[in-house]
Amino acid sequence: MKKAWQKSWVIILGILFLTTCLPTLSFAQTITSVNPNAANAGQTVNLIITGSNTNFISSTGARIFRTGWDIPAASLSASSNTNMTATFNLPPNAQLGNYTVDVWGAAPLANGFTVQASQSGSYGYISGKVIEEDGTPNCIVD
């Protein structure tokens, strides 16, 4: 009789574990963060990608993408199974906005990176002298 009681408790505890604890455990390989999470179009950027339950050491590729755009990583360097650096050369004409970060073998991070407008432009300067009527310089502008 005692053994039947013990078996019942084992079954009850097993059911409790399967219904309460197991669903909260995550075994999926996911990207959890990207740093920096934004850069300007036309820049080369090194993204530090962090994952959970990942195996970045054996990963063979990464990309950032959005509808109509797919930018592959120029290089990858994994420092551990959960941390890697991916270098991206963002085209000057890259579409602005949010991109999904994708590393082969891991669930992608939607809207994990933003391409911003380039801050480039041309700036000029004025060079000359302000001369008083008597010929002496008053101010030099360079």
Side-chain angles (χ1 to χ4, degrees):
M1 187 72 160
K2 187 175 184 184
K3 290 198 178 238
W5 180 81
Q6 289 174 339
K7 286 182 184 179
S8 296
W9 274 108
V10 169
I11 292 171
I12 291 170
L13 289 174
I15 291 170
L16 284 173
F17 174 77
L18 291 174
T19 58
T20 58
C21 297
L22 194 57
T24 62
L25 297 176
S26 174
F27 299 105
Q29 297 185 36
T30 58
I31 297 171
T32 56
S33 68
V34 176
N35 188 26
N37 64 358
N40 296 334
Q43 282 187 315
T44 296
V45 61
N46 294 317
L47 297 185
I48 299 169
I49 302 171
T50 304
S52 175
N53 300 313
T54 51
N55 187 11
F56 287 159
I57 295 291
S58 64
S59 186
T60 58
R63 68 182 179 147
I64 58 173
F65 69 95
R66 66 178 289 147
T67 303
W69 281 89
D70 192 316
I71 304 171
S75 66
L76 298 174
S77 174
S79 57
S80 72
N81 281 329
T82 58
N83 288 295
M84 75 179 329
T85 300
T87 302
F88 291 92
N89 300 317
L90 304 178
N93 64 336
Q95 187 176 8
L96 306 181
N98 294 329
Y99 282 69
T100 295
V101 180
D102 188 19
V103 175
W104 303 175
L109 180 61
N111 302 320
F113 185 76
T114 303
V115 175
Q116 302 169 337
S118 175
Q119 301 299 314
S120 65
S122 63
Y123 301 94
Y125 65 92
I126 299 172
S127 180
K129 295 179 183 179
V130 176
I131 307 294
E132 295 291 330
E133 288 183 30
D134 65 359
T136 58
N138 183 351
C139 178
I140 299 174
V141 179
D142 280 325

